[in-house]
Amino acid sequence: MQADLVIRALGALAQEHRLAAFRLLVQAGAAGIPAGALAERIGVPPSSMSFHLAQLANAGLVTQRRESRSIIYAADYAAMNGLMAYLTENCCGGLPCEDAAACAPAKPEETVL
Amino acid sequence: MQADLVIRALGALAQEHRLAAFRLLVQAGAAGIPAGALAERIGVPPSSMSFHLAQLANAGLVTQRRESRSIIYAADYAAMNGLMAYLTENCCGGLPCEDAAACAPAKPEETVL
DNA sequence: CCAATGATTCGATAAATGTTGAAATATAGA
DNA sequence: TCTATATTTCAACATTTATCGAATCATTGG
């Protein structure tokens, strides 16, 4: 993943409604969620939702597939993981990071919600 | 970590110069880097760098400490990990995610740079 | 105290982003 | 084909964000 795409991905997630949509999609898994359902659950008009979903798709964070009249969105886990790898790349300047407590992922209890 | 802070963190990272600064800090570790050095390495005027560092600090992604005339910035690894935990929270809707290939972090070779 | 150094704040301006109704596009069923 | 449903595109407008020189603040050494 390269810098430009990473910036687009971060920018896509840095917005209340898009972050909410992405998290719903992350939790929904491969099944995905139709655009309309996302708009309703998040509480924005369809045109706004469409705008936001386009940004997520442009950043490569979600995929879309048509299913009858609906367009189903789903999170792209590889993109999400690539994004996180980019942020932690070369963490702490090299090897010592691997086992350093300061650099290890925090425990779920400390970070959830 | 709560939604508002997460959005600020993502927004802070979603900018060319700030992303560059944060990555330098991630690699620098606890030693950190003075504001002026960051400005020089990234190629922006001191006032611009200061503006960007303030955003990173406001999002909790970096810490700052004065050392003589310099102000040293350092990455806050806990905040970074909290951010990533928030994004992957409840991934794939529950337990099956733990060992599902689609949800596992990608291999370094595929994501580096 | 004064001059030099490192950094931030302020203010004006430019550029990008978010919002949403109305119109357009695509699909399904009678 | 006509109508209803699902979604996107367009356009206008409001809001937020980025840039950077000049002025200001903080620290150090002479």
Side-chain angles (χ1 to χ4, degrees), chain B residues 15-57:
Chain B
Q15 207 278 341
E16 183 187 355
H17 302 320
R18 287 196 295 266
L19 181 59
F22 182 73
R23 273 164 51 89
L24 286 174
L25 293 175
V26 164
Q27 293 175 24
I33 305 176
L38 282 171
E40 202 171 345
R41 290 180 64 172
I42 291 175
V44 296
S47 63
S48 297
M49 190 76 257
S50 193
F51 168 79
H52 291 308
L53 288 172
Q55 303 237 61
L56 288 170

Side-chain angles (χ1 to χ4, degrees), chain B residues 8-101:
Chain B
R8 263 187 289 158
L10 290 166
L13 293 172
Q15 207 278 341
E16 183 187 355
H17 302 320
R18 287 196 295 266
L19 181 59
F22 182 73
R23 273 164 51 89
L24 286 174
L25 293 175
V26 164
Q27 293 175 24
I33 305 176
L38 282 171
E40 202 171 345
R41 290 180 64 172
I42 291 175
V44 296
S47 63
S48 297
M49 190 76 257
S50 193
F51 168 79
H52 291 308
L53 288 172
Q55 303 237 61
L56 288 170
N58 175 257
L61 289 167
V62 302
T63 60
Q64 49 190 65
R65 68 178 192 273
R66 178 175 282 279
E67 206 157 284
S68 180
R69 269 171 293 199
S70 296
I71 292 185
I72 315 282
Y73 285 85
D76 184 323
Y77 295 106
M80 181 177 72
N81 289 324
L83 176 64
M84 297 192 294
Y86 186 87
L87 291 179
T88 55
E89 184 181 310
N90 239 340
C91 180
C92 300
L95 305 175
C97 163
E98 304 300 351
D99 26 42

Side-chain angles (χ1 to χ4, degrees), chain A residues 21-41:
Chain A
F22 183 72
R23 272 164 52 90
L24 285 174
L25 293 175
V26 163
Q27 292 174 25
I33 305 176
L38 282 172
E40 201 170 346
R41 290 180 63 172

Side-chain angles (χ1 to χ4, degrees), chain A residues 38-51:
Chain A
L38 282 172
E40 201 170 346
R41 290 180 63 172
I42 291 175
V44 297
S47 62
S48 296
M49 192 75 258
S50 192
F51 168 79

Side-chain angles (χ1 to χ4, degrees), chain A residues 60-77:
Chain A
L61 288 167
V62 302
T63 60
Q64 52 191 133
R65 66 178 194 273
R66 178 176 281 279
E67 206 159 283
S68 180
R69 269 171 291 197
S70 296
I71 293 184
I72 315 284
Y73 285 84
D76 185 322
Y77 295 106

Side-chain angles (χ1 to χ4, degrees), chain A:
Chain A
M1 197 178 251
Q2 37 217 42
D4 173 66
L5 187 57
V6 168
I7 289 172
R8 264 187 290 157
L10 290 166
L13 294 173
Q15 206 278 339
E16 183 187 354
H17 302 321
R18 287 195 297 265
L19 181 59
F22 183 72
R23 272 164 52 90
L24 285 174
L25 293 175
V26 163
Q27 292 174 25
I33 305 176
L38 282 172
E40 201 170 346
R41 290 180 63 172
I42 291 175
V44 297
S47 62
S48 296
M49 192 75 258
S50 192
F51 168 79
H52 291 308
L53 288 171
Q55 303 237 66
L56 288 170
N58 176 257
L61 288 167
V62 302
T63 60
Q64 52 191 133
R65 66 178 194 273
R66 178 176 281 279
E67 206 159 283
S68 180
R69 269 171 291 197
S70 296
I71 293 184
I72 315 284
Y73 285 84
D76 185 322
Y77 295 106
M80 181 178 72
N81 288 323
L83 175 64
M84 297 192 295
Y86 186 88
L87 291 179
T88 55
E89 185 181 309
N90 239 341
C91 180
C92 299
L95 305 175
C97 162
E98 304 299 351
D99 27 43
C103 211
K107 290 176 192 150
E109 308 88 67
E110 299 168 348
T111 56
V112 158
L113 198 153

